Amino acid sequence: MTEESRADRESPVGEPVVRSDPAVTGDRAADAVGFDPNDPDSVAEAAETVARFAAGDVGDDDNVLMLRGAAACAALVRGVGSYKEAAERAGEDVSVAFIRKWARVHDLPQAIRRQVANGRIAPSAAKHVARLGGRDRYLLAWATIDGELTVREVRAIASAVNDGAEIEAAVREAGVELGRLQLRLPPETYVELRRRASMESVEPGEIVADAVDEYLDDDRGD
């Protein structure tokens, strides 16, 4: 089972899995709010939250509260059965497009939403990452972090991919080299890695990639 299916598809819609994790949101984790689409009272609370969210009561710089708004959108849609009815429940100032965009943000894999919560991906950028599916959204999310992409650049890449471009080409056009990471290693590890790479006549990245693949394969077997 993939990370996405474990972390997202088995979790109740609107459950604050990310927002309630102190490792991500610190002291604010205790204030995390969840929404249950099967509970009429919770659906009503989600509708009120969406209305406040759409009205701008949540600041653009408060990633955690914006994720709460996204969770409310997703729960409201599930609770009432459609985007159109969800917009009607939230109020005349809330559009179907607004709810659809933010519900998709809540449906992003947990690994990506954690980066939104901790501020490394702006919520407005996450809306465009959510326009993609599968592997492409992971690649765009990590490129957003590694390349420090602006929201405009993320939007342009998502649009290009939806128009038929390959994600690798679209990201490269924005000046980001996928797969390039800067690592900080303890001196002893660094010396041994360099020594081993020299003895084997390979680049250090090859040894790191093999070690990471072995680590991830062991993790997948759990």
Side-chain angles (χ1 to χ4, degrees):
M1 184 177 293
T2 67
E3 178 273 338
E4 177 182 350
S5 59
R6 282 200 309 268
D8 293 288
R9 302 311 174 202
E10 290 183 357
S11 300
V13 174
E15 180 178 308
V17 175
V18 172
R19 290 175 286 121
S20 63
D21 186 347
V24 180
T25 57
D27 294 340
R28 301 184 67 182
D31 299 324
V33 175
F35 304 98
D36 182 356
N38 297 313
D39 179 351
D41 290 338
S42 186
V43 171
E45 182 182 3
E48 293 175 1
T49 301
V50 172
R52 294 195 301 271
F53 185 31
D57 288 353
V58 174
D60 291 341
D61 58 345
D62 196 325
N63 293 9
V64 176
L65 288 183
M66 294 186 82
L67 281 178
R68 179 188 293 180
C73 287
L76 182 58
V77 170
R78 269 66 163 191
V80 301
S82 72
Y83 289 113
K84 181 179 180 181
E85 189 170 348
E88 292 173 351
R89 283 286 301 272
E92 60 182 15
D93 295 329
V94 182
S95 70
V96 169
F98 178 89
I99 291 181
R100 180 184 293 114
K101 288 177 182 178
W102 286 105
R104 289 190 306 200
V105 169
H106 179 72
D107 286 340
L108 282 169
Q110 184 188 146
I112 297 176
R113 286 186 286 121
R114 291 173 72 90
Q115 299 304 308
V116 178
N118 67 23
R120 301 192 71 189
I121 299 176
S124 50
K127 287 192 300 183
H128 299 293
V129 172
R131 293 164 55 194
L132 304 184
R135 173 176 174 269
D136 286 356
R137 58 185 170 184
Y138 278 111
L139 290 176
L140 181 52
W142 307 151
T144 299
I145 295 173
D146 295 336
E148 298 181 349
L149 297 177
T150 66
V151 174
R152 180 175 294 181
E153 289 171 327
V154 176
R155 180 180 62 192
I157 293 171
S159 295
V161 173
N162 282 329
D163 286 341
E166 294 293 330
I167 182 69
E168 289 86 350
V171 168
R172 187 166 55 247
E173 184 69 19
V176 180
E177 182 181 348
L178 286 173
R180 185 178 183 86
L181 290 173
Q182 185 176 24
L183 301 177
R184 186 177 299 279
L185 301 172
E188 294 78 8
T189 305
Y190 172 73
V191 168
E192 180 59 22
L193 174 62
R194 281 290 193 183
R195 188 194 70 78
R196 186 74 60 86
S198 178
M199 293 299 294
E200 297 180 10
S201 298
V202 298
E203 290 297 319
E206 293 185 42
I207 295 177
V208 172
D210 288 342
V212 171
D213 282 342
E214 182 177 352
Y215 174 84
L216 294 178
D217 284 342
D218 289 343
D219 185 58
R220 294 186 189 105
D222 292 341

